[in-house]
Amino acid sequence: MVIATAALIVASLSAGADVVTATREPTIHISIPAATDGPQREPTQTGCWSSSEQGGAGWGPDRPLFSGNHSPSYPSLNATPDNPNYGDERNFLLVKDAAALDPRAWSDRIEVQPGHEYMVRLYIHNAAEADDLVAKDTKTSVALPTCAGHAIAIYGFVKSSNSFPDSQWDGVVVWSRETFNLAFVPDSAVLLNNANPSPGIALRGESGVLTGEGVLVGSTGMDGELLPGYSGSVIITFKFRPQFAPR
């Protein structure tokens, strides 16, 4: 994969930011758990559960994987299980307490607390072997349920018109021993890429991120074109608050 020699800054994210060093490849210093809860043919648990012990949010669909010097001859998103800068890309949606500074805080499952804000992060990488194998019409969206429960699944979706597969998803679960629901933090959604490092591109309002239509993303802007290689990677983040009933 061709990597630019200029300093690359992919994601320096407000509170609890992950430090990204200036190297030939954007290095994301986080510990990513392997994608172990899937695959699923499609998300089947996108709502709420009455018990904090319930809930699971796999990933999917199953897809060809590419490691090391092996790259596909077509656009392929989040298909590297051992990305040296990230980890298992099938696990492309993660959540943490927004104030957490420890890079190991990113997780598939987290207990939420009153008065805290939480950050969701969605990562996209095109593993294609050639510079002209650009993923087209690349969109992302997030399903943030409005129901209440003791465990809630959040799903992230990525679509591209010419990639294989043309759509994929991953999920996280947030839970509490008390009943709660989720509230999106207004104007918290941000797109980061090497052309637009911190503070990135602000996605005002919900900007389609929380709708089925989704929002176009890209390696240089909001044009839907995702360039091959780690330097073309894109990150979307947003925040939410858990809301609890008054005691």
Side-chain angles (χ1 to χ4, degrees):
M1 299 177 184
V2 178
I3 305 297
T5 56
L8 300 173
I9 303 176
V10 170
S12 178
L13 309 176
S14 60
D18 297 314
V19 177
V20 179
T21 58
T23 63
R24 293 189 68 230
E25 295 184 2
T27 303
I28 306 170
H29 295 292
I30 57 179
S31 177
I32 305 298
T36 57
D37 291 337
Q40 301 175 1
R41 291 195 59 182
E42 60 184 24
T44 56
Q45 302 290 348
T46 57
C48 302
W49 293 270
S50 59
S51 169
S52 61
E53 304 299 324
Q54 293 177 303
W59 56 271
D62 203 4
R63 50 195 179 269
L65 301 178
F66 304 91
S67 300
N69 296 323
H70 301 286
S71 299
S73 58
Y74 53 87
S76 180
L77 305 182
N78 292 338
T80 303
D82 53 359
N83 179 332
N85 304 321
Y86 184 85
D88 190 338
E89 293 175 357
R90 292 170 296 177
N91 200 20
F92 63 81
L93 194 75
L94 295 170
V95 62
K96 72 170 184 176
D97 191 305
L101 298 178
D102 189 339
R104 295 171 296 181
W106 293 105
S107 177
D108 287 313
R109 187 179 180 93
I110 191 171
E111 181 181 8
V112 294
Q113 305 288 343
H116 288 228
E117 289 187 349
Y118 296 85
M119 178 179 287
V120 175
R121 171 185 178 137
L122 188 151
Y123 174 81
I124 316 174
H125 163 232
N126 179 5
E129 65 181 1
D131 291 347
D132 60 346
L133 295 175
V134 177
K136 302 287 188 177
D137 307 311
T138 308
K139 283 188 173 185
T140 184
S141 62
V142 175
L144 193 71
T146 58
C147 52
H150 286 251
I152 301 176
I154 303 170
Y155 271 95
F157 301 86
V158 178
K159 297 182 179 181
S160 170
S161 63
N162 67 331
S163 67
F164 180 80
D166 60 3
S167 64
Q168 57 186 249
W169 54 88
D170 185 34
V172 298
V173 172
V174 297
W175 66 276
S176 172
R177 301 196 185 282
E178 300 180 43
T179 301
F180 70 102
N181 63 9
L182 304 178
F184 174 77
V185 176
D187 297 332
S188 66
V190 176
L191 180 148
L192 301 109
N193 53 32
N194 281 313
N196 301 276
S198 181
I201 300 174
L203 307 179
R204 298 300 179 189
E206 297 181 1
S207 300
V209 175
L210 301 185
T211 70
E213 179 181 350
V215 61
L216 285 170
V217 299
S219 299
T220 61
M222 308 287 292
D223 57 3
E225 298 201 350
L226 201 74
L227 305 178
Y230 296 126
S231 63
S233 300
V234 168
I235 289 172
I236 297 283
T237 67
F238 72 90
K239 296 178 182 178
F240 69 86
R241 299 185 186 99
Q243 298 183 136
F244 295 85
R247 295 183 177 179

